Structure formats: C-alpha cells, structure tokens
Amino acid sequence: AEGFSSSRDAITDEDLLHVSERLYQADHNKARPSDIAINPQYQASPDETGDQEDRSPQPLYKYVNEELFSKPTYASFVKLLDNYQRVTGREEEVTAEELREQDNFLKEVMKTELMKELFAFLHEKNRYGSEREFVADLKEMWFGLYSRGDGEQDSSGFEHVFSGRARPSGTGGAGQRRAGGLTPGSRFSLGEVKKGKVSGFHNWIRFYLLEKQGMVNYFSHNFNGPWDTYPAVLGLQFSWDGFYKEVGSAFIGCSPEFEFGLYTLCFIARPGRACHLSLGGYSLSIRTYAWTKSTYGNGKNYIATAYVISP
C-alpha cells in the first residue's frame, strides 16, 4: 500500500506517531510563550465561517518578538516570501538570487536537529540513500514550478502553502477534489475554494507580517488547539487584500523547519490522505495533496497543498 515490497520499509501509523513526537521535541527554534501574544477574540460557529463578517475588531497578533526572525531558518524563510506573484495565471520569473535563497533556506533547515531527525527516519525507511539526495528532492517537490492557470509556470508547493494565492473573481471556477491529488486549476485547501477567495496561506509568520502591514484583516477563529505552549494550532477566518479565507488552519509559534518538516513527512508517507500525528501527547492530523498534472524526475509529484486538519 505504501509502494514498497518490503514490509520493513513501510511507514506505519505507529511510526508516524513516534517520529512526529521526536520532531516536536526537536523544534528548538520554536517561539517561547513570552515571544508571542495572540488575541483570538470571537469564536465562529460552523455556520458563521462563510458569512465574511468581521467579528474581531482587534488584530490577531498583539505582540511578536521579532528577534525570532534573526534566527537563520526564520531569516532565510522570510526572504522567500516576496518571491511570488500573488495571483494565479502569471508566470513566475525565478531569478538567480531567488534560486540562491531557496538553496540557503534548505541549507539552514538541514542544519537543525529536527530536519536531521526527519532525514534519519526517511533514510531508515529506504526513501533516500543520502542527505544530498533528500535535499535535492525537497527542492523539486517544494520549489519546482507547475501551472495552476492556463499553462504558465505560475505556482509551486512552497508558494501555495506558505505564501498563499488569490484567485481573481473573474477567473475559473471551484476546484474538484480527487483522491491523491488535485485536478488542474483547482484550489483545494480545507474544502473547495471558490473564485475570489484565498488559496493556501497557512503560515503564521506570513500572516503576522501582512497583518502588521495592514494587508490582512483577522475576522474570527473556529478552532483553538489544546496546546498550552508553542507550537499551537488555530483555525481562522480572515481577508487578505480583499480576498476571503473561510477556514484557514495554521501552526502558531513553530519554527519554519517544523512546519516544513511535518508537511514533508506527511506528503511522503500519506499523500492524499489524513496523516495522523502526535505532538506533545495530543493528536493532530495533516492533509497533503500531490499535483498530478505534471511530474519531475522519475514520475515524482510536486506538492499541491498541505495543511493541518482542524475540527
């Protein structure tokens, strides 16, 4: 079922619970409780998340210790966020500097105990023969370009998940969900995302920076996870430059490598299915989808989307 003939190479549900706890403990760059103060305000009921009503007059983030952003993995991550066109259908022009920024981000995250722990696990399961092979595949699956529009190389997994997309209301329709992947032109992220709404955009750092600039308006939340420290999980509603996100899930206070590593683990182990993990003794599930219209290497899939499944 996992694509391997030997049962010892299969990634079991128990394996995922154990390795996710190890990654959780290895997130040494996460925010401390004193580094972030959030103000969740109004909790929306299921029938209120789609009404686009701002029930929280204050910003979500009351305070963030921006010294976090001087840490190497944070700094290299933030540099990637301005490399993308916000609207689908516009060809991405990847400069030499942007390629260097991708390589630097991968270099910095691979220095962390968390990503070394992830590689060791995947190496033990015969997914990768060397760390060099692992890094090369990370670059392709996350940063490789594919078309969500009319043939333009306009998107990547990293952009969709961490930076986000807005589809203008005059283009296309709702995406169709398909087992194991997304159909071309789809916008699936926590349900079908119809035209004129935000696609992807699950990262707390990106949200904080845009909220600080006045480009994101927090409306409400529908889920606040049980964690009493960081990383935590929040399901939220917001608008971004006039585009609405009905239910967006986000880790709060995790390091870039933590989110990047968990999504990678689940994409490799459970693409197109719920990936059940354990963080600090609490259950959590992640859903990833592969982009199936185009491939790289020997038929490998790019990441289409990845996000936390919130109740």
Side-chain angles (χ1 to χ4, degrees):
E2 304 306 325
F4 286 81
S5 58
S6 173
S7 60
R8 67 181 176 84
D9 292 338
I11 298 176
T12 67
D13 290 346
E14 186 176 7
D15 287 335
L16 289 172
L17 297 178
H18 289 161
V19 71
S20 56
E21 281 290 359
R22 295 204 300 271
L23 298 181
Y24 179 78
Q25 296 300 324
D27 189 14
H28 304 307
N29 284 329
K30 67 184 178 183
R32 298 164 299 179
S34 60
D35 287 329
I36 299 176
I38 63 173
N39 184 17
Q41 300 166 80
Y42 188 81
Q43 182 162 358
S45 64
D47 60 353
E48 291 176 323
T49 59
D51 62 14
Q52 303 192 30
E53 183 175 342
D54 184 359
R55 296 182 171 90
S56 300
Q58 301 300 318
L60 174 61
Y61 287 92
K62 292 197 294 185
Y63 168 76
V64 171
N65 177 9
E66 294 193 7
E67 289 183 8
L68 284 170
F69 302 157
S70 65
K71 294 185 176 184
T73 58
Y74 285 80
S76 59
F77 174 82
V78 170
K79 283 188 176 181
L80 292 170
L81 295 178
D82 64 357
N83 290 350
Y84 302 103
Q85 296 280 349
R86 181 171 60 87
V87 180
T88 53
R90 295 181 182 174
E91 186 94 18
E92 293 289 354
E93 296 181 6
V94 182
T95 66
E97 180 182 1
E98 289 171 356
L99 289 173
R100 285 194 295 271
E101 288 174 353
Q102 293 172 9
D103 290 335
N104 187 55
F105 172 72
L106 292 172
K107 180 184 74 173
E108 292 299 340
V109 297
M110 287 307 302
K111 292 178 182 177
T112 66
E113 180 185 335
L114 188 151
M115 289 299 289
K116 289 186 179 299
E117 183 79 44
L118 176 59
F119 167 69
F121 172 76
L122 295 172
H123 177 66
E124 178 187 350
K125 294 295 182 178
N126 289 322
R127 288 338 192 246
Y128 298 99
S130 67
E131 186 173 307
R132 182 177 179 180
E133 179 189 351
F134 178 48
V135 173
D137 199 39
L138 286 173
K139 185 169 183 178
E140 289 289 347
M141 75 168 74
W142 278 105
F143 295 103
L145 291 174
Y146 50 82
S147 175
R148 289 180 183 261
D150 298 319
E152 300 89 351
Q153 299 294 95
D154 65 350
S155 190
S156 68
F158 184 91
E159 176 191 15
H160 181 85
V161 173
F162 293 102
S163 182
R165 276 282 178 168
R167 163 176 274 195
S169 58
T171 62
Q176 298 297 313
R177 182 173 173 180
R178 184 168 76 184
L182 298 180
T183 57
S186 63
R187 296 290 183 279
F188 183 80
S189 192
L190 290 172
E192 290 181 305
V193 179
K194 296 178 171 58
K195 49 191 176 179
K197 296 188 179 181
V198 176
S199 177
F201 195 165
H202 296 287
N203 180 256
W204 76 269
I205 299 170
R206 171 74 161 159
F207 190 102
Y208 164 73
L209 293 173
L210 288 178
E211 187 178 57
K212 183 181 176 183
Q213 296 171 28
M215 296 182 66
V216 163
N217 181 20
Y218 171 70
F219 281 22
S220 57
H221 71 286
N222 64 295
F223 172 75
N224 195 344
W227 294 271
D228 56 5
T229 186
Y230 296 117
V233 175
L234 197 68
L236 63 163
Q237 293 71 52
F238 61 91
S239 69
W240 171 27
D241 200 19
F243 297 95
Y244 186 65
K245 184 75 172 181
E246 182 172 340
V247 181
S249 60
F251 284 107
I252 307 293
C254 67
S255 68
E257 61 266 27
F258 177 82
E259 198 168 3
F260 188 73
L262 281 194
Y263 291 155
T264 299
L265 169 66
C266 287
F267 182 67
I268 292 170
R270 299 289 187 271
R273 290 184 285 158
C275 177
H276 302 300
L277 309 177
S278 178
L279 303 181
Y282 293 103
S283 298
L284 174 138
S285 297
I286 286 173
R287 174 88 68 174
T288 64
Y289 282 92
W291 184 257
T292 57
K293 177 65 175 179
S294 56
T295 60
Y296 68 90
N298 188 23
K300 289 188 173 184
N301 291 121
Y302 301 102
I303 290 176
T305 192
Y307 55 87
V308 178
I309 302 173
S310 59

